[in-house]
Amino acid sequence: MRIRLLIGSLFLISFYTMKAQEIFSAAINVKTEPTAKIDFNETNAVMAFHKKISTANTITNTLSYTNLKVNYELGSFKTLESPDQLNGLQNKFEITHEFSNTKLNVAVTPTLNFQQNPDASDFSVLGSFEIGQQLNSKTSITIGAARTTAFGYPKFIPTLSLHYKANNKSDLVIGFPDSKFSYSNNIRNTFSLTNSFNGSFYNLDHSHTLSENASKVSMSQITSAFEYERNVDKNWFINLKAGYDFNKKYNLIDNDNHNVYDFNTGNGYILGIGIKYKQ
């Protein structure tokens, strides 16, 4: 019963913000990340709603579901009952307040990260608080703090970004945990170079045979990628992504986020494709 209420609450927040929205978008993304002995195949579905509720305040609600399938090389990890399917559901609610040349952004992100059978213990809350300052017509800076899974488990980290918009065609963001350079040669094409610290965790249904202390799957990496987005029709976009994961980690951890087992996957390339509808 508790887990049904938690899932229902995530959707209720999302549907509440659907009324009279100014902007709506929906996307499906598929990504593969092969390594030496393990292949990761991820499918992600996202719905986002964006509305300016006053001259100073804007709300954004993003509901997403992720399914991750993990394929192991035959004969590897014989002593381990390895998880092969993982699921994540999250609802990010943001409110942005602007005054003068300053912008405040607060985000609350309830999440469910589970193996196959969701439970109340799989529920956690992430979020962030950031302050942005417009330095001049082309440059702004943002600082803040976030509770994020960038390192494979929930952790508070500082955030920082410097945003420089040279013109209508190019855009540069340098910071932590994300950096990005975008260029549009026309209204339909956008090319991007990105670098991000990113990760996730999933609670396990039961203890593994290797160790009774293992309670979570933890994944993290630094991803550098080239992305191309094409506006194929008025409301439809296609996204292609190719890149490489550095310092990739795939571990089992205990309740105190200590490593119990390291799969030692090594680094690997990533390939992805997505389709988005926006109005």
Side-chain angles (χ1 to χ4, degrees):
M1 180 62 69
R2 288 183 179 179
I3 194 61
R4 291 178 181 176
L5 290 174
L6 291 173
I7 295 175
S9 298
L10 292 178
F11 281 97
L12 182 61
I13 294 173
S14 178
F15 291 147
Y16 174 78
T17 60
M18 290 173 70
K19 300 178 181 180
Q21 291 294 331
E22 291 183 347
I23 296 177
F24 162 76
S25 66
I28 295 179
N29 303 285
V30 179
K31 180 175 65 175
T32 182
E33 302 178 46
T35 61
K37 293 185 178 182
I38 303 176
D39 294 341
F40 302 89
N41 298 295
E42 180 181 289
T43 302
N44 175 255
V46 183
M47 289 192 302
F49 310 94
H50 180 86
K51 180 175 176 60
K52 195 171 184 66
I53 58 177
S54 69
T55 56
N57 298 302
T58 303
I59 58 173
T60 303
N61 197 94
T62 305
L63 177 67
S64 63
Y65 168 73
T66 300
N67 175 259
L68 178 64
K69 293 184 178 180
V70 187
N71 299 316
Y72 301 84
E73 184 182 75
L74 188 64
S76 301
F77 315 109
K78 291 182 179 180
T79 62
L80 187 65
E81 184 184 342
S82 305
D84 59 3
Q85 184 165 261
L86 303 163
N87 299 276
L89 178 67
Q90 71 174 30
N91 191 91
K92 184 178 182 180
F93 179 79
E94 300 176 78
I95 183 166
T96 301
H97 178 72
E98 300 180 52
F99 56 95
S100 185
N101 292 321
T102 303
K103 180 185 295 185
L104 302 179
N105 180 273
V106 178
V108 179
T109 311
T111 68
L112 278 172
N113 300 309
F114 57 97
Q115 187 174 358
Q116 292 186 26
N117 303 307
D119 187 80
S121 61
D122 301 327
F123 181 79
S124 60
V125 178
L126 307 176
S128 62
F129 176 80
E130 294 181 319
I131 301 175
Q133 181 68 41
Q134 193 72 36
L135 302 179
N136 54 49
S137 61
K138 295 183 177 181
T139 308
S140 64
I141 188 170
T142 301
I143 61 172
R147 188 173 192 260
T148 175
T149 60
F151 293 103
Y153 54 88
K155 181 179 181 179
F156 285 98
I157 64 169
T159 60
L160 173 66
S161 64
L162 179 67
H163 181 197
Y164 177 73
K165 189 173 183 63
N167 48 52
N168 291 331
K169 292 185 176 182
S170 60
D171 202 56
L172 175 65
V173 177
I174 300 175
F176 173 81
D178 302 309
S179 297
K180 182 177 183 179
F181 173 73
S182 298
Y183 174 77
S184 299
N185 65 333
N186 57 48
I187 60 174
R188 289 187 176 272
N189 297 324
T190 301
F191 304 88
S192 301
L193 292 173
T194 63
N195 189 79
S196 61
F197 293 77
N198 59 90
S200 57
F201 78 96
Y202 302 90
N203 292 303
L204 299 174
D205 289 342
H206 51 78
S207 297
H208 286 60
T209 56
L210 180 70
S211 173
E212 295 181 357
N213 294 326
S215 61
K216 301 183 185 72
V217 166
S218 172
M219 302 177 185
S220 64
Q221 57 272 316
I222 303 171
T223 303
S224 295
F226 170 79
E227 298 184 45
Y228 169 64
E229 185 174 82
R230 171 74 175 177
N231 181 200
V232 295
D233 193 35
K234 178 182 178 181
N235 301 109
W236 292 94
F237 299 78
I238 290 179
N239 179 275
L240 302 175
K241 180 177 183 178
Y244 196 79
D245 283 338
F246 300 90
N247 195 31
K248 188 172 182 64
K249 297 178 182 178
Y250 176 39
N251 300 321
L252 299 180
I253 60 177
D254 61 19
N255 287 325
D256 297 319
N257 301 322
H258 298 142
N259 281 351
V260 172
Y261 183 81
D262 186 348
F263 285 93
N264 194 26
T265 61
N267 301 325
Y269 66 86
I270 62 171
L271 294 172
I273 184 171
I275 184 169
K276 179 170 67 175
Y277 174 84
K278 182 178 179 180
Q279 67 178 25

